């Protein structure tokens, strides 16, 4: 079972904006300081789950994880698929950097049949209350 990552989506507050930006090649590489020690598990079908406005709202499949440079100048580049997959809203507190995200903790994907015109915060609240 693949391992996932979770990260705050800084500078983008709407899934639609991320979807538009993901089509550009320069937006499909995420730079981080630390390379995951469990990169092989993540590259085996894992995704990067994005937190926007306090909740997980979507994910992108991780295609490759590469360490660039050496020593103090080294950094990690995470190459993402251009397709943004919406997920059921899942509340998350702010954190720095990225975290491993176990598959059992990941929210389910939203299918086209489940898509709604409700605002994300209202949909999240309804799910948390068990009303939807």
């Amino acid at each position: 079972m693949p391992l996932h990552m979770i990260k705050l989506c800084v500078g983008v507050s709407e899934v639609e904006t991320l979807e538009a930006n993901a089509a550009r090649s320069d937006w499909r590489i995420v730079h981080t300081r630390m390379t995951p020690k469990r990169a092989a598990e993540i590259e085996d079908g894992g995704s990067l789950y994005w937190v926007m406005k306090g909740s997980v709202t979507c994910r992108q499949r991780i295609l490759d994880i590469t360490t660039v440079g050496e020593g103090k100048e080294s950094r990690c580049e995470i190459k993402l698929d251009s397709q943004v997959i919406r997920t059921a809203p899942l509340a998350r507190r702010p954190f720095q950097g990225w975290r491993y995200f176990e598959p059992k903790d990941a929210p389910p994907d939203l299918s086209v049949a489940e898509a709604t015109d409700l605002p994300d915060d209202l949909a999240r609240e309804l799910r948390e209350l068990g009303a939807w």
Side-chain angles (χ1 to χ4, degrees), residues 15 18 48-50 52 56-60 84-87:
V15 178
L18 183 64
L48 179 61
Y49 283 80
W50 290 110
M52 296 179 192
V56 176
T57 55
C58 60
R59 69 180 178 91
Q60 286 179 277
V84 176
I85 302 164
R86 291 175 184 247
T87 64

Side-chain angles (χ1 to χ4, degrees), residues 85-102:
I85 302 164
R86 291 175 184 247
T87 64
L90 175 68
R92 288 297 287 216
R93 291 181 167 217
F95 57 92
Q96 289 185 339
W98 55 265
R99 302 283 185 268
Y100 292 117
F101 201 41
E102 297 291 336

Side-chain angles (χ1 to χ4, degrees), residues 7 30-36 67-68 71-77 96-98:
K7 185 170 177 25
V30 175
H31 300 276
T32 67
R33 194 170 55 104
M34 301 299 293
T35 301
T67 302
V68 178
K72 290 185 178 183
E73 286 83 39
S74 71
R75 67 183 189 281
C76 176
E77 292 184 349
Q96 289 185 339
W98 55 265

Side-chain angles (χ1 to χ4, degrees), residues 19-93:
E19 288 171 333
N21 290 338
R24 298 182 7 216
S25 62
D26 59 328
W27 271 80
R28 283 184 267 169
I29 296 181
V30 175
H31 300 276
T32 67
R33 194 170 55 104
M34 301 299 293
T35 301
K37 292 183 183 357
R38 299 170 68 182
E41 293 175 71
I42 296 169
E43 289 175 325
D44 189 29
S47 292
L48 179 61
Y49 283 80
W50 290 110
V51 178
M52 296 179 192
K53 293 184 179 177
S55 66
V56 176
T57 55
C58 60
R59 69 180 178 91
Q60 286 179 277
R61 237 173 25 87
I62 295 174
L63 303 176
D64 186 43
I65 298 175
T66 307
T67 302
V68 178
E70 292 183 21
K72 290 185 178 183
E73 286 83 39
S74 71
R75 67 183 189 281
C76 176
E77 292 184 349
I78 303 169
K79 186 176 181 184
L80 303 173
D81 188 22
S82 61
Q83 181 184 13
V84 176
I85 302 164
R86 291 175 184 247
T87 64
L90 175 68
R92 288 297 287 216
R93 291 181 167 217

